[in-house]
Amino acid sequence: MTAAKMTTKPILLTASPRPSRRFSNRHRRHGRIAAAAIASFLSLLVASAAWFSLVFDPSHRFAINHFRTWDSSISATHSPPLTPSHSPSPPPPQKPASLTPSPNPNSSSFSPLSLNHIVFGIAGSANLWPRRREFIRLWWRPGVMRGHIWLDDRVRLSRNASASLPPVRVSDDISRFRYTNPTGHPSGLRIARIISETFRLGHRDVRWFMLCDDDTIVSPDNLVAVLSKYDWREMVYVGGPSESHSANIYFSHAMAFGGGGIAISYPLAEALAGMQDDCLERYPKLYGSDDRLHACISELGVPLSREYGFHQWDIRGNAHGILASHPVTPFISIHHVEAVDPLYPGLGHLESLKLFTKASRVNPRSFLQRAICYDREKRLTFAVSLGYVVQVFPNIVLPRELERSELTYTAWNRAGHRFEFDFDTKDPYRSVCKKSIQFFLKNVFEDGSVSVSTYTRSNQGNDLKSKVFCFPHSPPLPHVDEIRILGNPLSDNWHLVPRRLCCKVDQTVNRTLWLNVRQCERRELGSVSDSLLP
């Protein structure tokens, strides 16, 4: 046992140093790893500092805005796209000094659209200015709306007269551009460039540019409602074609006519401002301004977003047939207001337009909207165009027929047949026994959230004929001199999925018949089913 103990002790003595060597090796390995980590961190710090100095150095042109400018100007300059094979990469072309940077997307991009976000460019002429300015004064809202009237020459302005109008500017000289159309006028070049000249003025917080003529009436509230459907941060081209089939064939069915109004989003206006002058040189044979604008927008690949509330109004004569059958969409504009008869019987042109714009302000979204209701016992049909007319037919007329526009007018080329128009029309009623008794708007006002409009009986001279030739049937409503309508406001999103309004015939008091017009409930059958079904 003593020998065994003597042999085990040396083994213990020789094995004792081994743990200390393992500890020493592990310590050295941790030290090398820590040194490598510190070196990597220092290298990353140096590389980051170099990258920040490169990007934010004002002498270099690699900021995000410059890349954005390069992308938006490719179609304007027809330069080849930037590819990896280009080494070194060419610097992006610089934006002209007159152009303004796009709005800050982080400031108010997601706030609701308002009139302050729209800049108007109104085309006019110095010769017609004394008369046309009165039309603009009817719908313009000083201090709320932004824009300019662009004339071809200077005019004398008085401080009091111009206080209720947009600022007047004189367009740039267009003599350097070619114009070879034998039937048109070079002013089309000047008017086409209004979008570029307005953009270069540098208005801030702009989302849309609205172009129209000085003989156009606009509903600003409905314009805001319709444009709010679109993403203004994209290239958007909004408007409507002509009512005349011949005009659409000559120009384009996919073109927005400038008289009725053209809405252009900020990015599209920015792209046009960079390439329009070069584009105009490629189309010297075109007729006017809106077809030149359409040609340049077509080069950018942007289609027309059609809205039926823009009315070019290429019509002449009595506009009753169009106003009495307005499409189920918010009214936005009408053009050529001097080429048609006064809208309301017994009033002059300007007085008639004053009443027209007053009705559009009181209840914008329901203005000119249709409502149809029936008197089952008397077999009468009431066709309402809010803010314009109430037609009372002496028989039952179904909605499909009432939705067609009665041809009381001719086209701009003076053609009056049904094939001339790009919408549903019908020939005028020939029989006096089928014609309606008409009550035209006389006054309108607000009573809280409800609008109250009064319509007086029109003296058309047909009552005596109806008594004689339609005996024993007398003209409808012989004991009614006026009709009053209580109009309830429409919901904020009615224009997104519009529907014809519902109405109900109420009582008659002191020769005044009352009607109630409102937005139909979702599951409501409508006036026809409610009135005619047993």
Side-chain angles (χ1 to χ4, degrees):
M1 294 179 63
T2 307
K5 291 180 182 179
M6 290 295 294
T7 57
T8 56
K9 287 181 179 179
I11 294 174
L12 293 174
L13 291 173
T14 57
S16 59
R18 291 179 182 176
S20 63
R21 283 198 300 269
R22 291 192 186 99
F23 178 80
S24 177
N25 292 337
R26 187 180 298 112
H27 180 73
R28 284 195 296 271
R29 283 197 301 270
H30 285 305
R32 287 195 298 270
I33 293 173
I38 294 174
S40 300
F41 176 75
L42 292 176
S43 300
L44 181 61
L45 184 62
V46 173
S48 300
W51 184 84
F52 276 103
S53 64
L54 176 64
V55 172
F56 294 101
D57 186 356
S59 63
H60 294 85
R61 301 183 183 274
F62 294 95
I64 295 176
N65 288 335
H66 293 290
F67 282 117
R68 184 181 301 159
T69 306
W70 168 249
D71 292 338
S72 63
S73 59
I74 288 177
S75 59
T77 60
H78 302 282
S79 302
L82 188 63
T83 62
S85 61
H86 295 164
S87 180
S89 300
Q94 298 300 302
K95 188 183 297 183
S98 57
L99 302 187
T100 60
S102 58
N104 182 6
N106 296 323
S107 59
S108 59
S109 299
F110 303 103
S111 61
L113 183 68
S114 67
L115 278 176
N116 189 56
H117 295 127
I118 304 174
V119 174
F120 288 79
I122 305 172
S125 67
N127 291 334
L128 299 176
W129 170 246
R131 183 173 74 252
R132 296 281 182 86
R133 66 184 179 186
E134 300 304 321
F135 301 146
I136 303 173
R137 204 189 307 273
L138 294 176
W139 58 272
W140 186 258
R141 301 178 187 176
V144 178
M145 302 170 64
R146 293 190 291 172
H148 303 273
I149 301 171
W150 296 87
L151 303 179
D152 53 353
D153 201 355
R154 297 182 180 275
V155 293
R156 181 174 297 179
L157 299 173
S158 62
R159 180 175 300 179
N160 295 333
S162 60
S164 57
L165 293 169
V168 176
R169 303 186 70 92
V170 178
S171 300
D172 290 343
D173 181 31
I174 57 169
S175 59
R176 68 183 186 276
F177 296 99
R178 294 181 300 147
Y179 187 90
T180 60
N181 189 288
T183 59
H185 192 275
S187 62
L189 288 164
R190 177 185 71 86
I191 297 174
R193 296 183 74 252
I194 287 178
I195 179 63
S196 298
E197 293 189 50
T198 304
F199 180 85
R200 291 189 176 100
L201 293 178
H203 291 282
R204 295 293 178 178
D205 200 18
V206 180
R207 301 183 186 180
W208 293 92
F209 294 88
M210 173 66 177
L211 309 176
C212 62
D213 289 354
D214 55 359
D215 60 339
T216 301
I217 300 295
V218 178
S219 174
D221 298 301
N222 286 341
L223 177 65
V224 171
V226 170
L227 293 184
S228 64
K229 299 191 301 183
Y230 299 93
D231 187 354
W232 65 273
R233 294 163 296 184
E234 304 293 338
M235 290 189 181
V236 190
Y237 169 49
V238 185
S242 173
E243 292 80 4
S244 171
H245 184 63
S246 299
N248 290 329
I249 291 177
Y250 181 81
F251 294 101
S252 173
H253 285 269
M255 182 186 87
F257 279 66
I262 303 174
I264 295 176
S265 65
Y266 186 96
L268 180 55
E270 183 179 26
L272 286 171
M275 54 84 74
Q276 189 179 31
D277 286 354
D278 291 336
C279 174
L280 292 178
E281 289 292 349
R282 293 189 282 273
Y283 301 97
K285 296 181 180 180
L286 295 183
Y287 178 85
S289 59
D290 38 17
D291 52 348
R292 283 177 164 79
L293 189 62
H294 173 244
C296 297
I297 294 176
S298 297
E299 291 191 3
L300 295 172
V302 180
L304 173 66
S305 297
R306 176 168 181 170
E307 290 289 344
Y308 290 91
F310 289 87
H311 299 289
Q312 170 67 11
W313 257 32
D314 281 337
I315 62 172
R316 301 177 188 271
N318 186 359
H320 170 78
I322 289 185
L323 293 176
S325 59
H326 190 273
V328 185
T329 188
F331 163 80
I332 298 174
S333 65
I334 55 170
H335 181 221
H336 289 149
V337 294
E338 292 180 303
V340 296
D341 299 337
L343 305 184
Y344 300 98
L347 298 179
H349 271 99
L350 188 58
E351 291 75 14
S352 184
L353 290 173
K354 287 181 179 179
L355 181 58
F356 186 82
T357 53
K358 178 183 178 181
S360 69
R361 286 194 305 269
V362 169
N363 203 345
R365 295 190 182 181
S366 62
F367 178 63
L368 292 185
Q369 294 309 305
R370 305 296 310 282
I372 302 173
C373 49
Y374 300 89
D375 188 327
R376 183 178 177 182
E377 295 180 358
K378 298 179 181 179
R379 305 291 293 178
L380 300 179
T381 300
F382 294 82
V384 179
S385 178
L386 277 176
Y388 176 61
V389 71
V390 178
Q391 300 180 95
V392 184
F393 291 88
N395 53 351
I396 298 299
V397 185
L398 297 180
R400 189 177 185 276
E401 181 178 352
L402 293 174
E403 289 175 350
R404 295 178 177 269
S405 175
E406 185 178 358
L407 281 179
T408 61
Y409 46 86
T410 61
W412 192 252
N413 59 4
R414 302 187 187 281
H417 52 80
R418 292 181 56 189
F419 303 104
E420 177 56 30
F421 301 96
D422 272 347
F423 52 93
D424 292 334
T425 60
K426 62 183 177 184
D427 293 326
Y429 292 100
R430 301 299 182 186
S431 173
V432 68
C433 300
K434 293 184 177 180
K435 288 185 177 181
S436 64
I437 301 298
Q438 298 173 356
F439 294 76
F440 286 94
L441 180 71
K442 180 181 180 181
N443 191 21
V444 59
F445 62 91
E446 289 181 286
D447 186 5
S449 60
V450 178
S451 64
V452 182
S453 50
T454 302
Y455 303 77
T456 57
R457 193 184 192 107
S458 175
N459 184 14
Q460 299 173 316
N462 292 326
D463 286 358
L464 180 59
K465 293 182 181 179
S466 178
K467 290 179 180 179
V468 174
F469 295 104
C470 304
F471 183 83
H473 300 288
S474 62
L477 304 180
H479 304 295
V480 174
D481 295 330
E482 67 177 21
I483 295 177
R484 289 187 181 178
I485 296 180
L486 297 178
N488 295 278
L490 306 185
S491 63
D492 293 338
N493 61 351
W494 172 85
H495 63 285
L496 299 179
V497 187
R499 181 184 175 186
R500 190 181 66 241
L501 305 183
C502 288
C503 73
K504 180 180 179 181
V505 180
D506 209 334
Q507 59 183 346
T508 301
V509 180
N510 296 330
R511 304 184 68 88
T512 298
L513 174 64
W514 289 82
L515 297 179
N516 286 282
V517 175
R518 56 178 174 80
Q519 185 173 342
C520 297
E521 299 294 336
R522 178 175 297 182
R523 297 183 179 181
E524 192 169 1
L525 293 177
S527 56
V528 181
S529 300
D530 294 339
S531 301
L532 299 184
L533 289 179

